[in-house]
Amino acid sequence: MNVIFLFIFLVGGLNFFYEQIKVNALPASSPLRARQDNSDNSLGTWKIVGDSGVSAMHAVLIAPRKVIFIDRLEQNHLKRPDGLAAISSEYDLDTNQARPLTVYTNTFCSAGSFLGNGTLIEAGGSGGDDLNYRSGLQTLRIYDQGKGDWIELEGVLPSNRWYPTMITLPDGNILILGGSTGSTGVNKLEINNPTYTIYPPPSGVFMQDYNFDFLATTLPYNLYPMLHLIPNYEGKTLLFVLASKQAIAYDLGIGKTVITYPDLPGGFRSYPLTGTSIMLPLSPTDYYNPTVMVCGGNKAQEITSVSEATCGRLDLNKPNAQWEMDNFGGTPRVMPDAVYLVDGSIMFVNGGGSGYAGLRKGKGANALFVANDPVLFPYLYDPFAKTYKALASSTIPRMYHSIATLLPDGSVLVSGSNPSNAVTLDVKFPTEYRVEIFYPPYLYSTIPRPTILSLESFPINQQRIKVSYNQVITLVIQLKSTDPPSLKATIIHHGFVTHSTNMNQRYVYLDIEDSYVDKSASDQYILTLRLPPNPTIIAPGPHYIYIFNYDAPCVSGVEVLLNSQ
């Protein structure tokens, strides 16, 4: 929707000069300009910036310039003050240094999500070593931001959880779904956990498991089930769930499946034939109509099996919805990660061209990696044009146990890869500690990038700024440009990522309701944005608001805490 106002008026020294500002241009093309150089920056660039300290099996953006990494019980080189190997670290994006965090339970193949109040919760894991680390299978962990460390609540989960998925609900509580009761290469009936639990417990006393029959019918490929909150205006808690090839819409309020979607064509999509899923950007222009995209995987749990080179898109609200298939850019990929970029495009990165997710078999020269043919380049996917573009290649294979997440400056952090059962450095796919940053092409645009100066009169990223649903908020931005800007706004939840599953990742365009130039300040604009109307569109919790000019993102998004009050 292009909105151009063709009049000028003066109020209190502010010059409202609307014909120079385009807002809500969705999508917008950039003005034609010659590039300043002829380098390959049009495909983005990679830079190795630091060491994660622990292998990055799980990752979450905890603050504008800090990322938490979580590994499993193994002998990482980063040590805690007590001399034990750390299995979680806090990574500082300014210093590129990792600080050890204190965890005493095994976090192997666990999950995470934020409460509506902004508290990070992490749950599940695997068995301990009977010496220094205890079992994490029924552990719930709370990250205390004031303390800067974990608090572990052992034994509070009503059942063992290995490979579960977590999601923030519209009421701000967290749902923990599925998994198995013990570690396994593929799920099986005797250890399947086809239930969910909610934290904090609705009863206010003890957590309780509730049956979820869908996960009893999707064996053996149903670990880390794909899970997305479905937007609606009826106040319902509707969940999209996909495991194996099967997908449903589930009404949590009445405890029933309300839609059974067609099976997704092609290979299997769930661990160990791991694909990835993402809900395409939501927009108020079509009342936040949800479309889910699922990509990658494999047809068979065999080392030589070529990975799946298909994606399916499904319009969840369309009557008799059918999967719309494509060829995933023409490149087979198992264990891909899907990451929103600030401009609404999607980056697919990491993974292998053959095999499946799992630890290597055997030791020494005869060891076999169960996934091979690393795909070193990402794809940039345009959800409007439905096109793929190959971007610059990394030099580091990112195989099993890799991660990728958007950062507030518009770049993407990539780390991890550890397909061995212990820290192993002298093999084809070693335990990786190198942290890379990918700088997408839009960061090399000659189009000026906005700088958000304040939100609701608060300076940005000094604290989480509290905002509420349907609120109209005011941002002040600086934009040095000789050309009329074309501004768009979005709110993004960056998610908690592990095993190609980015829990709660969400992208919602925001309406820019008003915009004007402040002639009393050089290159300064004042914008008013309307936030989404209800928590089914984006769940409560910590998110980032971005402004972008054509495709050029702001210098940094601004962290907010969105809640109903």
Side-chain angles (χ1 to χ4, degrees):
M1 177 174 64
N2 292 327
V3 183
I4 306 176
F5 298 89
L6 299 176
F7 50 89
I8 305 171
F9 57 97
L10 297 173
V11 177
L14 295 175
N15 188 354
F16 289 70
F17 194 34
Y18 284 101
E19 84 274 22
Q20 289 195 0
I21 307 175
K22 268 195 222 176
V23 296
N24 300 326
L26 177 63
S29 58
S30 304
L32 296 176
R33 301 175 185 224
R35 290 191 171 270
Q36 294 178 334
D37 57 54
N38 293 318
S39 71
D40 286 335
N41 290 346
S42 61
L43 302 179
T45 63
W46 292 86
K47 184 179 181 182
I48 299 170
V49 296
D51 183 301
S52 57
V54 305
S55 191
M57 183 185 297
H58 318 70
V60 58
L61 182 71
I62 191 66
R65 303 300 298 165
K66 294 185 187 298
V67 173
I68 288 178
F69 296 129
I70 304 166
D71 189 17
R72 64 182 178 197
L73 199 169
E74 62 181 338
Q75 295 303 308
N76 291 301
H77 60 264
L78 182 66
K79 305 302 180 185
R80 303 186 322 206
D82 60 7
L84 292 175
I87 61 174
S88 180
S89 67
E90 179 191 77
Y91 187 82
D92 189 304
L93 294 165
D94 292 319
T95 65
N96 290 308
Q97 298 295 312
R99 178 176 67 86
L101 300 178
T102 305
V103 178
Y104 288 97
T105 61
N106 193 355
T107 50
F108 189 22
C109 300
S110 49
S113 188
F114 286 92
L115 290 170
N117 66 9
T119 302
L120 175 63
I121 302 296
E122 217 264 355
S126 192
D129 64 0
D130 299 322
L131 182 63
N132 296 309
Y133 291 92
R134 300 179 292 275
S135 172
L137 282 162
Q138 290 184 255
T139 299
L140 187 140
R141 306 169 191 87
I142 302 170
Y143 188 74
D144 184 332
Q145 280 199 269
K147 179 183 174 184
D149 214 338
W150 293 102
I151 298 169
E152 297 179 279
L153 305 180
E154 299 178 48
V156 301
L157 297 183
S159 60
N160 292 357
R161 298 276 178 187
W162 191 78
Y163 269 82
T165 300
M166 293 168 62
I167 194 171
T168 307
L169 299 172
D171 64 4
N173 294 335
I174 290 172
L175 180 139
I176 308 171
L177 175 67
S180 62
T181 59
S183 59
T184 180
V186 63
N187 207 3
K188 56 195 78 169
L189 180 63
E190 56 267 29
I191 60 172
N192 189 32
N193 192 343
T195 68
Y196 69 87
T197 189
I198 294 175
Y199 179 81
S203 64
V205 184
F206 298 107
M207 298 178 71
Q208 178 180 346
D209 280 341
Y210 303 89
N211 290 334
F212 197 78
D213 293 340
F214 175 73
L215 293 180
T217 63
T218 50
L219 286 167
Y221 306 124
N222 67 358
L223 296 177
Y224 279 131
M226 298 174 182
L227 183 60
H228 300 276
L229 191 62
I230 301 176
N232 65 88
Y233 287 89
E234 289 77 44
K236 297 178 179 179
T237 300
L238 299 175
L239 305 174
F240 172 84
V241 190
L242 185 145
S244 188
K245 301 180 181 185
Q246 302 172 44
I248 61 171
Y250 187 85
D251 188 327
L252 192 65
I254 62 175
K256 290 184 179 180
T257 296
V258 291
I259 302 174
T260 299
Y261 295 107
D263 286 0
L264 175 57
F268 297 99
R269 312 293 177 159
S270 299
Y271 177 85
L273 307 178
T274 303
T276 192
S277 72
I278 192 167
M279 183 168 282
L280 299 185
L282 300 168
S283 171
T285 60
D286 62 2
Y287 303 101
Y288 309 101
N289 188 62
T291 296
V292 166
M293 188 171 186
V294 179
C295 296
N298 209 322
K299 292 181 173 64
Q301 192 178 347
E302 298 175 1
I303 293 174
T304 58
S305 180
V306 175
S307 302
E308 187 68 25
T310 63
C311 292
R313 288 171 56 135
L314 187 67
D315 182 339
L316 302 187
N317 286 344
K318 187 175 182 179
N320 302 312
Q322 300 294 318
W323 291 96
E324 177 186 348
M325 304 301 295
D326 69 34
N327 70 350
F328 200 7
T331 302
R333 206 183 291 241
V334 66
M335 302 176 294
D337 284 291
V339 182
Y340 295 123
L341 299 186
V342 175
D343 64 356
S345 58
I346 295 167
M347 177 175 157
F348 292 102
V349 66
N350 299 340
S354 62
Y356 57 95
L359 301 175
R360 69 186 176 121
K361 298 179 180 297
K363 296 181 179 180
N366 294 322
L368 289 175
F369 287 93
V370 299
N372 289 280
D373 305 311
V375 184
L376 297 176
F377 67 90
Y379 270 130
L380 184 67
Y381 179 74
D382 183 332
F384 297 98
K386 303 179 183 179
T387 57
Y388 296 86
K389 178 182 178 181
L391 300 177
S393 292
S394 172
T395 60
I396 302 174
R398 300 291 185 179
M399 306 298 280
Y400 188 41
H401 295 150
S402 299
I403 59 89
T405 189
L406 177 69
L407 298 179
D409 64 1
S411 64
V412 177
L413 181 148
V414 178
S415 194
S417 189
N418 189 16
S420 297
N421 59 9
V423 173
T424 310
L425 303 177
D426 56 348
V427 292
K428 178 171 64 172
F429 302 133
T431 303
E432 270 294 346
Y433 294 101
R434 288 175 289 181
V435 176
E436 286 181 291
I437 302 294
F438 178 73
Y439 300 94
Y442 60 29
L443 294 180
Y444 295 99
S445 171
T446 58
I447 299 167
R449 298 175 65 185
T451 298
I452 302 176
L453 301 177
S454 67
L455 189 153
E456 290 294 277
S457 300
F458 291 101
I460 73 166
N461 295 340
Q462 296 185 11
Q463 59 182 351
R464 289 174 177 165
I465 300 171
K466 294 181 179 180
V467 294
S468 58
Y469 291 96
N470 210 38
Q471 180 182 352
V472 176
I473 59 173
T474 300
L475 279 78
V476 178
I477 69 168
Q478 187 176 67
L479 181 59
K480 297 181 179 181
S481 177
T482 58
D483 297 319
S486 178
L487 302 177
K488 297 171 287 296
T490 183
I491 185 168
I492 301 176
H493 183 77
H494 291 229
F496 178 105
V497 61
T498 186
H499 293 76
S500 302
T501 304
N502 197 323
M503 304 173 198
N504 290 295
Q505 186 179 206
R506 198 78 150 197
Y507 185 112
V508 183
Y509 285 102
L510 300 178
D511 260 332
I512 301 178
E513 293 201 339
D514 212 347
S515 57
Y516 51 88
V517 179
D518 182 357
K519 289 297 183 180
S520 66
S522 178
D523 304 311
Q524 194 159 293
Y525 298 82
I526 299 176
L527 310 177
T528 57
L529 316 179
R530 183 173 293 276
L531 295 177
N534 72 64
T536 71
I537 295 164
I538 186 168
H543 311 304
Y544 288 79
I545 291 176
Y546 295 87
I547 302 294
F548 49 112
N549 179 31
Y550 292 94
D551 66 342
C554 53
V555 173
S556 175
V558 52
E559 189 181 27
V560 299
L561 182 61
L562 176 62
N563 224 309
S564 298
Q565 298 177 349

